[in-house]
Structures are given as structure tokens and as C-alpha cells.
Amino acid sequence: AQTVTQSQPEMSVQEAETVTLSCTYDTSESDYYLFWYKQPPSRQMILVIRQEAYKQQNATENRFSVNFQKAAKSFSLKISDSQLGDAAMYFCAYRTSGYALNFGKGTSLLVTP
Amino acid sequence: DAGVIQSPRHEVTEMGQEVTLRCKPISGHDYLFWYRQTMMRGLELLIYFNNNVPIDDSGMPEDRFSAKMPNASFSTLKIQPSEPRDSAVYFCASSLGLAGEETQYFGPGTRLLVL
């Protein structure tokens, strides 16, 4: 079974600074997809960014980017120029085609003024 | 589109009572998922449907839980009888397909408290 591990239960960053959230996963598959979801206090799950395993180029969405290391099975999320609205739980997730998402336990991000 | 709609948003009930959670997926989405979120176990997949047919219910915790999808625009998750350990946030999500790149869109969740 695939497992997704987020080793940082909580992280803190100052406004305008950069923070990196870690995620590792375990799989024997070669073709898969990785996701970061954001869950603000409203509880709504919001897709932040997605990475296809067959693409070597790291995905980027505005202030959000990933560092995908396929050999190391690592998929970290970098948030640049952090804003107060970035405060939330962040979930790393994995899936292969034909299967549902498999989530990590989450990292709670606190953004301080 | 209004997105995935769930009702109720909050539910408080007493142990032993029946609880029914409802979900309306995004129109045109063929897949519907039910997840449960707790502090201890995180986000767990309970069951998912394809074209109204249950495909994988291996995550359903026990016989007290049942899910149905009578048509493409409605699904229910029922707990009977409910127990305090069922207290959690229950999410419904939908997607166009199960290809890896397909995005799952989540509803706002139902916070269930069983006393």
C-alpha cells in the first residue's frame, strides 16, 4: 500500500518570508500524481498544486512551487512571500490512475505578522 | 457551477440515533467519493462510486455505515446506529474521472458530533 508521510505536524513562518513543507511517499509505481491541498479554517479542501511523476520539471503556481525528487520519493511545497491567508492545514496526497487519493496527516501552517 | 454541495454542515446527535449525510456532486462528474477526517487518522477514503455504482467500499469502517447513490446528482452516507467514535468531519468529493491528473473537488464537509 502506498503511504504518504508529512513529518512536520506544525510549521510557522513570518509574513513575506518563505516556508517549505515536507512530504515523502512510498510506492512501487512509476507513473503517479502528487498533490498539495490546503484546508483553511473553513474546512474547505482546496487544490494548491499538482505534479505528474513523469515530468521532471517542478510544478509552479504563482507563489507556490514544489521540489519533486522522484528517486528520493520526496515532494515538498515551497510557499514564497507568505501571506496571512496562507495559514491553513496543508495535505500532501498521492494517487495512481484508477485509484482515489491517499493523503498524509497534514501540516498546520501558522503565518505571523 | 456551485461546486460539491453537502448537507447538513453540522450535525449533533445522540448515540444510537441514525444519521444521514447528503451530497450533491458537480454536474457531469462520474466519480463521487466519501472521506472521513479525524485528528487521529487524518483523511480516510470510505467509499467511492462510478456512475452511481459503488466501486470500492473497503474503507467503510463497519456495517453501521452504508452509502448509496440513487442517481447522478445525489448520494447519502448513513450511520445507524451512531456512536461517539463516529464524530468526525465527513467530506464528499467528485471528479470527472480517475485518471491521475483528474482533480477531485471537495465539498465543505459535514461536522458530525455524536454525544
Side-chain angles (χ1 to χ4, degrees), chain A residues 32-35 37 39 41-47 50 52 54 89 91 95-105, chain B residues 9-10 33 35 37 39-43 45 48 89 91 97-111:
Chain A
Y32 50 87
Y33 294 77
L34 297 161
F35 306 81
Y37 276 84
Q39 186 180 40
S42 67
R43 295 201 313 264
Q44 183 74 47
M45 294 288 285
I46 303 164
L47 178 65
R50 173 175 58 209
E52 294 90 338
Y54 62 85
M89 283 289 289
F91 293 92
R95 72 183 296 182
T96 53
S97 288
Y99 292 90
L101 286 167
N102 188 3
F103 286 92
K105 291 290 180 67
Chain B
R9 292 294 307 275
H10 303 272
F33 308 83
Y35 290 89
Q37 184 179 30
M39 288 293 292
M40 290 295 294
R41 301 173 69 90
L43 270 158
L45 175 69
Y48 76 91
V89 180
F91 286 98
L98 263 191
E101 68 272 18
E102 292 288 354
T103 298
Q104 282 189 23
Y105 296 89
F106 284 76
T110 295
R111 183 179 291 276

Side-chain angles (χ1 to χ4, degrees), chain B residues 28-93:
Chain B
H29 281 191
D30 290 333
Y31 286 83
L32 183 140
F33 308 83
W34 282 100
Y35 290 89
R36 178 173 66 176
Q37 184 179 30
T38 61
M39 288 293 292
M40 290 295 294
R41 301 173 69 90
L43 270 158
E44 304 173 278
L45 175 69
L46 299 177
I47 186 171
Y48 76 91
F49 294 83
N50 176 25
N51 291 324
N52 314 337
V53 177
I55 302 301
D56 183 356
D57 65 354
S58 58
M60 295 285 264
E62 48 197 277
D63 292 345
R64 297 184 297 107
F65 286 68
S66 63
K68 295 182 179 179
M69 192 164 185
N71 57 62
S73 60
F74 184 65
S75 177
T76 59
L77 178 67
K78 186 175 294 187
I79 309 172
Q80 167 62 21
S82 58
E83 296 183 3
R85 61 194 167 116
D86 302 330
S87 298
V89 180
Y90 291 82
F91 286 98
C92 177

Side-chain angles (χ1 to χ4, degrees), chain A residues 14 29 39 43 50-51 75-76 81 95 100 102:
Chain A
Q14 274 195 315
E29 303 289 335
Q39 186 180 40
R43 295 201 313 264
R50 173 175 58 209
Q51 173 79 41
F75 181 60
S76 60
D81 186 25
R95 72 183 296 182
N102 188 3

